[in-house]
Amino acid sequence: DLREIIDSYKGGGASAYSPVMLLSVWLLGFVSGIYTSRKLEQALKENIAFIWISGQSEPDFRTLNNFRLRLGNDIKGIFKQVVICGIQLGYIRGEEVFVDHTKLEANANSHKMIWKKQVDRRLEEIEVELDSLFQYIDDLNNREDKEYGDKGLCDGGNLDYAKIDEVIRDFNEQIKDMAKGEAREAKSKLKRTKGLIEKREGYKEKQEILGERKSYSRTDPDAVAMLQKDKESIKASYNEGIAVENGFVLDYEIGQNAADNVGFKGIIEGVIENIDKVPERVHADGAYGSEENMVYLEENGIENFLKYNTYFREHKKSWREEKLRREDFGRDEDRDVYICPAGKVLEFYGKHEKITATGYHQRLREYKAKEEDCAACALKEQCTRGRAKSIEVSLEYERLKVEARANLDSELGKELRRQRGNRVESIFGDRKFNKQYKRYFLRGLSKVNIESGLYYIAVNIKKISTYLKGLFNIEGKQIETICLGMT
């Protein structure tokens, strides 16, 4: 249903190319591994499949690119309609959903990064120097009648270009009467003040672009510096997440935060929107097993198969023997205390709230042993370096981890763990290594969303094609019945 796109054409002037044809051309391009408008223009002149699907139309690369950018937010709607096709075919059931993220390099120069720490530090240095220069200008101004009344320039800290130019003009006559060395110094400091004000405005603009981010690229201000898969190189990138069932992409999201767990809820909400139901189970690796995400699954009635960050290590004997960990301490629910392996009691000490980077409020409780108990304990070396052992714990998170651990250790959990790699990670692997699509072609978050939308629509179209071919090989008439039902 492309009515919204068609309605966006105002009409008048020369006849427009059909939006249906242009979208078909772009999707065939992504299915065929053609991702740029110039190569697509060439294919429309040389490749029989493209000549056929375009009806022998030959839009140039500018027309193709303008249409792609015109898709905007409509790309999500088109993506959803392809997902609905998968549901109608019975390919998507909303039973087991796998979630994963990957860092994909932006079309940006990674050597031209703006870092928040540098901007904040430089802005602070400029403010300090400007305060000193404003004071100098005030002192210079006090030699004449006080044009600014009782308020000196250094009291206002918002001196702008127009004001400093006015000050320079007013002081020109006064500077002529100064000694040569003093006049040179005054001109130099006034010029320096004007330059610093210009730089201050520039750094403030950078602060606005940064927002809550720690970095951005000059060539793509929406991109963020992220550590790559090799754990060594840092490049301007986006964090792309997908939700998959049976190799079919149910939703995708492009994020500016390198932490995978930040985009988890948004992806699941997208899945619910696209398949019009709550998935039964969600599986993801240890990066997603935060308390916030587990609470979200519980609130939505989704079975929790999220690995938390210590899940695999808990199963290793060497990790448990390395030192005493919180997991080695038993809990007495009735008394609300923890008991250490030596039999000593850790009593409730206090509670506080921790706000995570995503704004989630985590309630933590602290339990502490008595100093005299720890001082004489034979296990102290393995337990704590402090005078007394203390434990900080979220009881809600501990309860959810017990549930997740039981699910992951079940037969179904083991099967889902075996499937995760080829169900979701294979899609990223195919994109990056088979298709050598390791970098976005467009710049800006909104354009990158269009690019990835086209790519994942093409992935799903190929899945549908493969599925239909398999049905046709089994029973030729079955495919005709399904297609008529979809129509």
Side-chain angles (χ1 to χ4, degrees):
D1 182 0
L2 303 179
R3 279 176 293 183
E4 288 190 15
I5 299 175
I6 294 170
D7 291 344
S8 69
Y9 285 79
K10 296 179 181 179
S15 299
Y17 287 106
S18 165
V20 177
M21 180 273 292
L22 292 171
L23 179 61
S24 300
V25 167
W26 268 114
L27 291 178
L28 181 59
F30 272 75
V31 166
S32 308
I34 299 174
Y35 309 116
T36 61
S37 54
R38 284 179 171 81
K39 288 186 177 180
L40 204 55
E41 178 187 11
Q42 184 179 359
L44 285 168
K45 298 174 181 177
E46 299 175 354
N47 189 307
I48 190 67
F50 285 88
I51 293 171
W52 177 82
I53 205 168
S54 68
Q56 293 185 314
S57 298
E58 293 186 5
D60 64 14
F61 72 91
R62 293 182 185 85
T63 302
L64 292 165
N65 185 55
N66 289 338
F67 173 78
R68 176 174 54 178
L69 299 182
R70 198 184 194 111
L71 291 174
N73 294 328
D74 293 326
I75 194 69
K76 277 284 189 178
I78 299 168
F79 175 85
K80 179 179 179 179
Q81 291 184 60
V82 178
V83 172
I84 291 171
C85 290
I87 296 171
Q88 291 173 334
L89 286 168
Y91 202 75
I92 299 171
R93 297 181 293 275
E95 294 176 355
E96 280 90 25
V97 174
F98 299 86
V99 176
D100 203 2
H101 278 73
T102 190
K103 275 73 174 176
L104 209 63
E105 190 179 347
N107 183 5
N109 190 334
S110 295
H111 298 289
K112 294 184 178 180
M113 298 299 301
I114 303 297
W115 300 92
K116 184 177 179 62
K117 284 185 178 180
Q118 292 179 352
V119 171
D120 291 344
R121 185 181 70 247
R122 185 62 185 132
L123 195 54
E124 185 178 351
E125 292 171 352
I126 288 173
E127 294 289 1
V128 170
E129 188 175 355
L130 277 175
D131 283 343
S132 174
L133 290 169
F134 289 160
Q135 184 61 56
Y136 174 82
I137 293 171
D138 274 338
D139 293 341
L140 195 64
N141 187 47
N142 287 336
R143 297 185 183 184
E144 300 293 326
D145 293 332
K146 290 193 175 181
E147 179 183 345
Y148 301 99
D150 295 330
K151 184 177 181 181
L153 290 174
C154 58
D155 296 325
N158 293 317
L159 194 65
D160 58 16
Y161 282 126
K163 199 67 175 176
I164 192 65
D165 283 339
E166 181 183 334
V167 170
I168 291 172
R169 285 195 303 270
D170 291 341
F171 286 164
N172 277 339
E173 292 300 320
Q174 183 179 343
I175 289 172
K176 290 178 182 178
D177 299 330
M178 293 180 184
K180 189 174 182 181
E182 188 180 6
R184 188 184 301 114
E185 180 185 9
K187 288 181 179 180
S188 174
K189 289 195 173 183
L190 288 172
K191 183 178 180 181
R192 175 64 175 167
T193 303
K194 186 174 181 180
L196 284 177
I197 291 172
E198 179 181 1
K199 288 184 178 180
R200 182 177 65 177
E201 295 306 309
Y203 279 111
K204 284 185 176 180
E205 287 180 11
K206 291 175 182 177
Q207 275 189 330
E208 287 184 16
I209 296 172
L210 281 163
E212 298 298 321
R213 294 181 292 161
K214 294 181 180 180
S215 63
Y216 73 87
S217 171
R218 290 180 184 174
T219 45
D220 183 355
D222 287 341
V224 178
M226 296 184 187
L227 183 66
Q228 302 300 298
K229 200 78 171 178
D230 58 11
K231 303 297 182 184
E232 293 181 0
S233 56
I234 296 176
K235 297 180 180 179
S237 307
Y238 293 96
N239 197 11
E240 185 165 296
I242 56 174
V244 177
E245 183 182 24
N246 288 330
F248 202 101
V249 181
L250 305 183
D251 191 47
Y252 69 94
E253 182 179 88
I254 316 298
Q256 296 172 294
N257 195 310
D260 294 347
N261 66 305
V262 172
F264 176 79
K265 290 196 294 184
I267 290 178
I268 300 302
E269 287 169 2
V271 170
I272 295 171
E273 166 70 19
N274 290 338
I275 68 176
D276 198 26
K277 66 170 286 190
V278 176
E280 295 178 18
R281 291 170 286 277
V282 173
H283 189 282
D285 62 28
Y288 299 87
S290 66
E291 179 183 334
E292 180 180 5
N293 290 340
M294 290 185 178
V295 168
Y296 174 80
L297 293 183
E298 185 176 63
E299 289 175 348
N300 286 275
I302 303 171
E303 287 188 62
N304 177 10
F305 285 82
L306 300 183
K307 296 174 189 171
Y308 46 93
N309 56 2
T310 60
Y311 173 73
F312 278 121
R313 285 180 285 176
E314 287 176 359
H315 292 73
K316 293 182 179 180
K317 187 177 178 181
S318 59
W319 186 77
R320 299 299 293 269
E321 291 179 347
E322 184 181 353
K323 65 178 182 179
L324 289 178
R325 302 182 186 275
R326 182 171 48 75
E327 290 78 12
D328 297 316
F329 288 67
R331 174 165 172 77
D332 188 328
E333 295 284 349
D334 296 331
R335 296 162 59 194
D336 189 21
V337 297
Y338 277 88
I339 301 171
C340 78
K344 304 301 181 182
V345 175
L346 282 75
E347 296 181 343
F348 176 68
Y349 185 75
K351 60 182 179 180
H352 65 277
E353 199 172 71
K354 176 184 176 183
I355 302 177
T356 66
T358 58
Y360 177 75
H361 293 252
Q362 188 178 37
R363 296 181 179 87
L364 298 172
R365 298 172 68 86
E366 187 176 1
Y367 297 83
K368 198 170 184 180
K370 295 178 181 178
E371 288 187 18
E372 55 268 27
D373 288 342
C374 289
C377 183
L379 299 175
K380 187 175 185 300
E381 290 291 326
Q382 297 174 264
C383 186
T384 181
R385 294 181 180 179
R387 293 182 177 181
K389 176 68 176 180
S390 65
I391 290 177
E392 190 177 73
V393 61
S394 166
L395 297 181
E396 176 77 349
Y397 192 25
E398 292 305 304
R399 179 184 66 81
L400 293 166
K401 285 200 291 185
V402 169
E403 179 186 317
R405 189 184 303 118
N407 288 340
L408 290 166
D409 289 341
S410 67
E411 289 304 314
L412 176 58
K414 292 176 183 177
E415 180 60 28
L416 292 177
R417 280 155 52 190
R418 282 193 291 268
Q419 291 179 10
R420 189 184 69 85
N422 72 337
R423 290 294 173 88
V424 63
E425 292 186 1
S426 60
I427 293 177
F428 291 140
D430 180 57
R431 178 174 183 170
K432 289 184 176 183
F433 299 102
N434 293 341
K435 296 184 172 59
Q436 290 296 302
Y437 193 167
K438 299 181 180 181
R439 191 184 192 200
Y440 295 107
F441 292 96
L442 300 179
R443 293 178 176 176
L445 185 60
S446 60
K447 295 179 182 179
V448 164
N449 265 296
I450 297 171
E451 188 176 340
S452 286
L454 289 169
Y455 180 82
Y456 290 121
I457 290 171
V459 168
N460 289 345
I461 286 175
K462 287 191 285 186
K463 286 291 179 184
I464 291 174
S465 173
T466 303
Y467 184 67
L468 290 176
K469 287 176 182 176
L471 288 178
F472 185 77
N473 290 334
I474 295 171
E475 188 175 347
K477 291 186 178 180
Q478 189 177 359
I479 188 171
E480 182 180 353
T481 305
I482 290 172
C483 290
L484 286 171
M486 289 174 63
T487 304

